[in-house]
Amino acid sequence: VPANLQTLDAATLKRSGDPGLAGALEKALPSVSINEIQGNPYQADLNYRGFTASPLLGTAQGVSVFLDGVRINEGFGDVVNWDLIPRAAIAGITLSPGSNPLYGLNTLGGALALQTKDGRKYPGGELQVSAGAFGRQSVSLQQGGSKDALSWYGAVEGMQEDGWRDYSPSEVGQLFGKLGWQGMATDVTLTLAHANTDLIGNGLLPESM
């Protein structure tokens, strides 16, 4: 791609400390900004050079998002549900600017290509537990390995919080698994991603209401 590509690795994402993927991208990539009109870090609008990737239906979308080569913009409205992307399982991110037909229709401002981890490159296990203000608790568990031609990787993430506004609790549960087989001339991978979320973001209203 003849363009100014920007890349991120798993370590940079981990250092950002932001629970939502869009917020982590804002801290690490120039020209990327977010706004949280929906009032939830997992439902942020990602803005890049005037174009948007948003979970809000009706927003003028202009950024394509791919996970291991699979486009994850929803078929209806091209919205992007950030809460469905397993952040712990991301090995790297590439941001490609501009309108490039390589990334398909409606790629007006750029494309985000996310690559996930596998057991061959990320062996071993890791457990991360954190807690913070407003009742926020999160846990992340991942484990990977390989034997001969077979490799496996799995990640589980969970987060719940009361929210800094009244009556704004959120719960996020994510499961990601990858099973691969690599021979001399064959590389086959089966991937499963599942998420169960309950996100509440109360918007701004006058006190009289």
Side-chain angles (χ1 to χ4, degrees):
V1 178
N4 177 27
L5 300 181
Q6 302 179 58
T7 59
L8 289 178
D9 56 16
T12 305
L13 285 174
K14 185 177 179 180
R15 287 195 300 267
S16 71
D18 197 283
L21 180 60
L25 295 176
E26 179 190 38
K27 294 179 180 179
L29 294 177
S31 302
V32 172
S33 63
I34 66 169
N35 53 52
E36 298 182 5
I37 299 299
Q38 288 74 255
N40 194 289
Y42 286 89
Q43 294 178 309
D45 296 339
L46 182 142
N47 306 302
Y48 177 63
R49 295 185 175 180
F51 295 91
T52 304
S54 169
L56 187 62
L57 189 63
T59 303
Q61 311 283 349
V63 178
S64 298
V65 184
F66 294 84
L67 184 66
D68 286 341
V70 179
R71 186 182 176 103
I72 59 175
N73 298 74
E74 299 291 341
F76 185 61
D78 262 351
V79 299
V80 180
N81 294 311
W82 301 108
D83 56 310
L84 303 183
I85 302 176
R87 180 177 162 181
I90 295 177
I93 298 177
T94 301
L95 176 59
S96 176
S99 179
N100 193 329
L102 176 67
Y103 296 105
L105 298 174
N106 210 34
T107 307
L108 304 176
L112 274 172
L114 286 65
Q115 300 85 38
T116 59
K117 300 176 182 177
D118 61 67
R120 202 172 299 278
K121 296 180 181 179
Y122 292 87
E126 178 181 327
L127 173 65
Q128 181 176 345
V129 179
S130 64
F134 307 108
R136 175 174 290 179
Q137 301 175 1
S138 65
V139 59
S140 173
L141 174 64
Q142 51 183 317
Q143 202 278 332
S146 62
K147 184 177 182 181
D148 299 329
L150 188 67
S151 65
W152 60 89
Y153 174 84
V156 178
E157 280 190 292
M159 191 280 293
Q160 64 178 13
E161 66 174 2
D162 299 330
W164 61 271
R165 292 189 178 115
D166 292 339
Y167 311 109
S168 299
S170 291
E171 294 183 2
V172 177
Q174 297 172 332
L175 173 66
F176 179 84
K178 179 184 283 190
L179 182 65
W181 187 88
Q182 185 175 1
M184 293 295 293
T186 306
D187 191 349
V188 180
T189 303
L190 176 65
T191 301
L192 170 68
H194 176 74
N196 185 13
T197 65
D198 185 8
L199 308 177
I200 300 178
N202 295 320
L204 299 173
L205 290 173
E207 287 188 359
S208 59
M209 300 185 68

